């Protein structure tokens, strides 16, 4: 009974913010500013969603976010899997040192890199391009990918590779035909974590992107804030639309996240 109560409380605390945001998005400014946070709207303001799509340039920003996130995910999976394969399956002198470097990369705060990256991209004439945010995204997400994938790859029995070598398979054939298919569960976890982290990122995008044509989804909220007024209902609707892809992907692949996180915990 205690466990059921605790789980029920956990579900409420996780689901209620999303429900509240949806209700918020259907209110007028007057209802929102009245201070009655838990009150239902008198009339459903579906026009807030129309404003979010039109005035918030939703589809344009959505396209940019999908492009940036997709390119980042592909690069992170490719680089992370190759690095993890080298660290986990090869016996070489600097393997542990390289792993430590990746772990240190997980501890570097994003804010500490803004000024150096600004100078680098300015000298490379890469500011105000998608490349200026894709490269830092890859750099910040790859250490997490290596941490997850290398832990799983270390649990793969060596006999599998030995059999492949006896059959004449080379290193890249072993990686492509054996290691990658086996590593799909943790790779799905890496994809989902990368997607969630990049989809909601604002600081780097706000620093390096100034063109309206290149901005990503988090910038849409700014469309409803002017010098003298704020459309709070449209902001809520835009946040709902922005969170919708993440929610859908998470619920479709939730079981794969769990499997991927514990995949390397069992040997063999």
């Amino acid at each position: 009974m205690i466990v059921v109560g605790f789980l029920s409380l956990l579900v409420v605390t996780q689901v209620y913010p999303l429900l509240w945001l949806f209700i918020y998005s259907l209110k007028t400014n007057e209802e929102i500013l009245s201070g009655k946070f838990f009150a239902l709207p008198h009339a459903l303001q579906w026009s807030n969603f129309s404003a979010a799509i039109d005035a918030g340039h939703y589809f344009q920003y959505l396209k940019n976010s999908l492009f940036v996130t997709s390119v980042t995910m592909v690069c992170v999976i490719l680089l992370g899997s190759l690095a993890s394969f080298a660290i986990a399956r090869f016996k070489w002198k600097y393997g542990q040192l390289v792993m430590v470097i990746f772990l240190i990369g997980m501890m570097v705060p994003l804010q500490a890199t803004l000024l150096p990256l600004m100078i680098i991209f300015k000298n490379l004439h890469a500011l105000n391009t998608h490349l200026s945010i894709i490269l830092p995204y890859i750099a910040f997400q790859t250490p997490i990918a290596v941490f997850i994938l290398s832990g799983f790859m270390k649990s793969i029995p060596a006999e599998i590779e030995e059999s492949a070598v006896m059959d004449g398979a080379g290193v890249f054939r072993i990686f492509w035909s054996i290691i990658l298919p086996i590593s799909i569960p943790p790779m799905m976890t890496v994809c989902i974590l990368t997607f969630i982290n990049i989809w909601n990122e604002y600081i780097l995008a706000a620093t390096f992107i100034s063109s309206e044509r290149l901005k990503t989804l988090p910038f849409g909220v700014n469309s409803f804030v002017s010098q003298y007024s704020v459309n709070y209902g449209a902001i809520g609707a835009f946040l709902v639309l922005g969170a919708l892809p993440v929610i859908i992907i998470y619920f479709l692949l939730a079981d794969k996240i769990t499997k991927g996180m514990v995949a390397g915990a069992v040997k063999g």
Side-chain angles (χ1 to χ4, degrees):
M1 190 65 182
I2 297 178
V3 174
V4 173
F6 176 76
L7 292 177
S8 300
L9 178 63
L10 186 62
V11 169
V12 170
T13 56
Q14 296 298 315
V15 173
Y16 177 74
L18 296 175
L19 180 61
W20 179 86
L21 179 61
F22 180 69
I23 295 174
Y24 179 96
S25 67
L26 296 174
K27 292 183 178 182
T28 63
N29 267 11
E30 291 74 17
E31 290 174 324
I32 293 172
L33 296 175
S34 67
K36 299 178 181 179
F37 298 105
F38 304 102
L40 295 175
H42 296 295
L44 301 181
Q45 302 296 317
W46 295 108
S47 58
N48 289 336
F49 285 88
S50 300
I53 292 173
D54 296 332
H57 309 289
Y58 175 75
F59 289 111
Q60 177 184 338
Y61 293 158
L62 177 65
K63 180 184 70 174
N64 292 334
S65 287
L66 287 173
F67 172 75
V68 170
T69 305
S70 300
V71 173
T72 302
M73 287 172 56
V74 171
C75 292
V76 167
I77 285 295
L78 180 62
L79 296 175
S81 59
L82 287 171
S84 300
F85 180 60
I87 292 172
R89 309 307 292 179
F90 291 177
K91 295 181 180 179
W92 51 301
K93 183 178 180 180
Y94 299 106
Q96 291 301 316
L97 176 61
V98 172
M99 186 64 193
V100 170
I101 293 174
F102 277 111
L103 293 177
I104 293 174
M106 295 173 60
M107 295 182 271
V108 176
L110 183 148
Q111 293 81 359
T113 66
L114 292 179
L115 182 57
L117 287 175
M118 174 67 76
I119 296 173
I120 292 172
F121 290 138
K122 182 179 179 181
N123 293 334
L124 293 175
H125 305 288
L127 286 177
N128 200 30
T129 65
H130 282 152
L131 185 65
S132 65
I133 57 176
I134 289 175
L135 290 179
Y137 289 165
I138 294 172
F140 277 101
Q141 296 303 314
T142 299
I144 302 174
V146 172
F147 177 75
I148 295 174
L149 293 175
S150 62
F152 174 80
M153 290 182 183
K154 287 179 181 178
S155 71
I156 300 175
E159 289 78 7
I160 297 178
E161 290 177 73
E162 293 172 359
S163 300
V165 171
M166 292 178 64
D167 291 337
V171 173
F172 286 103
R173 181 62 182 273
I174 293 173
F175 172 74
W176 184 259
S177 300
I178 299 176
I179 302 298
L180 278 187
I182 295 176
S183 303
I184 287 178
M187 288 172 64
M188 292 301 300
T189 299
V190 171
C191 285
I192 296 170
L193 293 177
T194 301
F195 180 88
I196 293 173
N197 290 335
I198 300 306
W199 192 260
N200 298 317
E201 202 285 322
Y202 182 83
I203 296 176
L204 284 177
T207 304
F208 301 138
I209 299 293
S210 58
S211 172
E212 289 290 332
R213 182 175 56 87
L214 300 175
K215 289 181 177 179
T216 52
L217 208 56
F219 284 92
V221 174
N222 299 332
S223 304
F224 309 104
V225 180
S226 63
Q227 185 175 1
Y228 300 106
S229 65
V230 178
N231 190 340
Y232 294 103
I235 290 177
F238 193 90
L239 293 175
V240 170
L241 293 173
L244 197 57
V246 179
I247 296 172
I248 293 173
I249 289 178
Y250 180 82
F251 278 106
L252 289 176
L253 304 176
D255 59 327
K256 291 184 171 54
I257 295 180
T258 305
K259 292 179 181 178
M261 293 300 289
V262 302
V266 179
K267 190 78 173 178

